[in-house]
Amino acid sequence: KPIIHIGGIEENEDTRFLTGIQLSPAKNLLIGGVISPFKKNSDISIYYHLAIGFIPEWKLFKLSSNMFQIGLHRDKFEKDGNKRWFSLSIMESGRFFNFNYNICANRLVSSVKEEDTLMMSTNIKLKNSIYLRPGIIAFLPKFDYNPFLLLSIKL
């Protein structure tokens, strides 16, 4: 089933709106994308991210699942010019008693971005197919982080 994501991320003391979609055309394949328009003063920019993920049959731990992902990121119309970079990611999702977690380590491949990231989040079930996902994206090695909040709806 497709999943729609709507939310925001705190970035440089501003909140950036974002929306995305996630599709699963096969049991072990995910395709997704995020788009985020942003306006600061009179400067308008658009960030988008397209990703494809593979879920292997083997598990790192018996209580979790893994995913490998390749992503293309783009910042368009920024005052500093257009930027493009790629990411290689491994994601671990699982449960610890009643607490579920998602941890995603991202290696950025770019001459534009120098830091790698670590994303940590959890899913809180609100209704049958509606989830709240609070989390952070930490920029390594300094561990500066941006909090985010998403509302995810399984269609």
Side-chain angles (χ1 to χ4, degrees), residues 47-52 70-74 84-87:
Y47 164 81
Y48 62 88
H49 172 208
L50 302 171
I52 185 165
I70 297 172
L72 164 67
H73 305 257
R74 204 69 207 256
R84 180 180 69 194
W85 64 97
F86 298 92
S87 64

Side-chain angles (χ1 to χ4, degrees), residues 31-47:
I31 299 172
V34 170
I35 190 163
S36 176
F38 187 65
K39 181 178 180 185
K40 186 167 185 172
N41 301 327
S42 63
D43 185 29
I44 297 175
S45 65
I46 296 174
Y47 164 81

Side-chain angles (χ1 to χ4, degrees), residues 59-83:
K59 308 291 183 210
L60 191 57
F61 301 109
K62 289 184 179 182
L63 302 174
S64 64
S65 66
N66 324 2
M67 180 175 63
F68 298 99
Q69 182 175 289
I70 297 172
L72 164 67
H73 305 257
R74 204 69 207 256
D75 257 333
K76 297 283 284 181
F77 313 118
E78 277 202 350
K79 63 181 177 190
D80 300 336
N82 295 337
K83 298 174 188 165

